[in-house]
Amino acid sequence: MLDYDRQWSTEQWIRSRTLRDHAFPRGTSSAADPPTHGTRGSHEKDRPGGIYYDAGNIRVDQRWDQMPAKQFSVVETMERIETCGAWLLFKDVQKDFKYKIFLGSGWEKIKSKIDQDLKSRILREDALIFVTSPKRIATYHIDRECSFLLQIKGTKTIHIFDRADREVLPEEEIERFWTVDNNAPVYKPQFQGRATSYKLRPGNGVHIPVNCPHWVENDDNVSVSLNVNVQFKDTLRANTYRANHALRTLGLTPRPPGQSPTVDYLKSHSMVAVVAAKAALHKLSSLRKSS
């Protein structure tokens, strides 16, 4: 559990109250893609996909591609936040000038307390704001990033599982996550008792390591949270999982990462060209859709 500067918390909440004024792309719907842990820049039209949102009665084990169809625009959803069971994700808030200044000072303080050399190991940083309705659940999942979830308004409980527990998170699920399915991890209610649960209140937060399964249940209040994500430069473990997924599709039972540094190195480097090719194809596909 983390405790952070109350002045930082208060200032962020004051800023978050103006979301309607400078963070909503009015008259548009957000991208339908599930969040994979990017809000808007200077102009609404520049980033129509800067907000992900959904609403409804959501189960802890529900996949992102099973979310109910949107009934309201994002602005209407925010207006109905007390009653519509909504979960809103404002992406890349650090791209907004006002948030950039604020996050620059606060986040640098946190990093300096963790490790003076942390900056040199970071590939990418971004910040998100979550706004959720009373009693809303954020479904069970894992992330590619290391996250620091800081509570601004309201209270909620986050349940975090041990990523090394292979009954909770089997190797096959991690392999699929890194390769083909962002929602590969499956919630197993019989292991809920193994989670460490944290009650989040304004002024404290929690660290969520890479690939630690977690889910969140909001209390009977509107919740506002700031999430700072860090993606590290080291891709060895991720590429090893990708290689293991390929081997498993061939009927083999690959050795998990961490058992042999030499084997992990060879597997990881065998995937570099594959990952680069997939990224290039994804970019080409995006360009075609936008043209």
Side-chain angles (χ1 to χ4, degrees), residues 36-56:
T36 55
H37 328 280
T39 255
R40 206 188 53 105
S42 301
H43 303 287
E44 294 163 355
K45 64 182 180 180
D46 293 339
R47 305 193 66 240
I51 302 173
Y52 171 87
Y53 72 103
D54 57 53

Side-chain angles (χ1 to χ4, degrees), residues 192-253:
Q192 175 59 39
R194 298 185 186 182
T196 300
S197 301
Y198 300 95
K199 173 72 78 172
L200 298 182
R201 299 178 174 85
N204 60 36
V206 67
H207 169 225
I208 309 171
V210 178
N211 280 183
C212 274
H214 57 283
W215 66 281
V216 185
E217 52 184 339
N218 207 17
D219 287 341
D220 193 12
N221 51 226
V222 173
S223 170
V224 179
S225 305
L226 172 69
N227 195 73
V228 181
N229 291 325
V230 177
Q231 185 174 357
F232 296 104
K233 294 177 181 178
D234 182 17
T235 60
L236 176 65
R237 197 171 187 85
N239 280 344
T240 302
Y241 277 123
R242 293 181 178 116
N244 282 355
H245 175 75
L247 293 171
R248 201 176 295 276
T249 60
L250 296 175
L252 303 175
T253 304

Side-chain angles (χ1 to χ4, degrees), residues 56-252:
N57 186 17
I58 307 301
R59 307 184 314 272
V60 63
D61 62 346
Q62 195 156 336
R63 288 179 56 88
W64 289 322
D65 54 12
Q66 297 173 342
M67 293 300 172
K70 295 180 176 65
Q71 300 182 34
F72 315 110
S73 70
V74 65
V75 174
E76 290 173 314
T77 299
M78 196 66 178
E79 290 171 344
R80 299 168 183 260
I81 192 70
E82 292 278 0
T83 58
C84 69
W87 186 83
L88 297 99
L89 164 59
F90 296 81
K91 305 176 184 179
D92 283 332
V93 296
Q94 79 282 354
K95 292 183 178 180
D96 183 288
F97 179 72
K98 294 179 181 179
Y99 287 96
K100 183 177 181 179
I101 294 174
F102 166 68
L103 288 166
S105 59
W107 177 228
E108 291 302 322
K109 288 180 182 178
I110 292 178
K111 286 194 294 186
S112 66
K113 291 182 179 181
I114 297 172
D115 188 337
Q116 292 293 334
D117 298 324
L118 183 63
K119 188 173 182 179
S120 64
R121 304 200 300 272
I122 293 174
L123 175 65
R124 183 178 63 85
E125 300 170 293
D126 63 13
L128 317 169
I129 289 177
F130 298 115
V131 181
T132 50
S133 293
K135 300 290 188 178
R136 173 57 200 256
I137 284 175
T139 60
Y140 179 88
H141 66 285
I142 66 175
D143 296 311
R144 288 168 170 76
E145 303 87 2
C146 165
S147 299
F148 294 86
L149 180 64
L150 310 175
Q151 189 67 8
I152 306 302
K153 181 180 186 293
T155 58
K156 61 185 181 183
T157 301
I158 182 168
H159 308 280
I160 304 177
F161 297 82
D162 182 1
R163 62 185 176 182
D165 187 332
R166 288 296 167 260
E167 288 187 303
V168 170
L169 185 65
E171 292 289 334
E172 294 88 340
E173 291 182 8
I174 309 175
E175 293 164 11
R176 287 183 54 78
F177 169 80
W178 282 106
T179 312
V180 295
D181 185 1
N182 289 326
N183 232 169
V186 176
Y187 177 67
K188 304 167 185 65
Q190 67 270 31
F191 298 134
Q192 175 59 39
R194 298 185 186 182
T196 300
S197 301
Y198 300 95
K199 173 72 78 172
L200 298 182
R201 299 178 174 85
N204 60 36
V206 67
H207 169 225
I208 309 171
V210 178
N211 280 183
C212 274
H214 57 283
W215 66 281
V216 185
E217 52 184 339
N218 207 17
D219 287 341
D220 193 12
N221 51 226
V222 173
S223 170
V224 179
S225 305
L226 172 69
N227 195 73
V228 181
N229 291 325
V230 177
Q231 185 174 357
F232 296 104
K233 294 177 181 178
D234 182 17
T235 60
L236 176 65
R237 197 171 187 85
N239 280 344
T240 302
Y241 277 123
R242 293 181 178 116
N244 282 355
H245 175 75
L247 293 171
R248 201 176 295 276
T249 60
L250 296 175
L252 303 175

Side-chain angles (χ1 to χ4, degrees), residues 232-286:
F232 296 104
K233 294 177 181 178
D234 182 17
T235 60
L236 176 65
R237 197 171 187 85
N239 280 344
T240 302
Y241 277 123
R242 293 181 178 116
N244 282 355
H245 175 75
L247 293 171
R248 201 176 295 276
T249 60
L250 296 175
L252 303 175
T253 304
R255 179 183 300 180
Q259 293 188 3
S260 171
T262 301
V263 172
D264 288 353
Y265 177 86
L266 293 173
K267 287 179 179 177
S268 177
H269 281 265
S270 73
M271 296 301 297
V272 171
V274 176
V275 172
K278 287 183 67 175
L281 288 172
H282 178 75
K283 184 176 182 179
L284 179 60
S285 175
S286 299

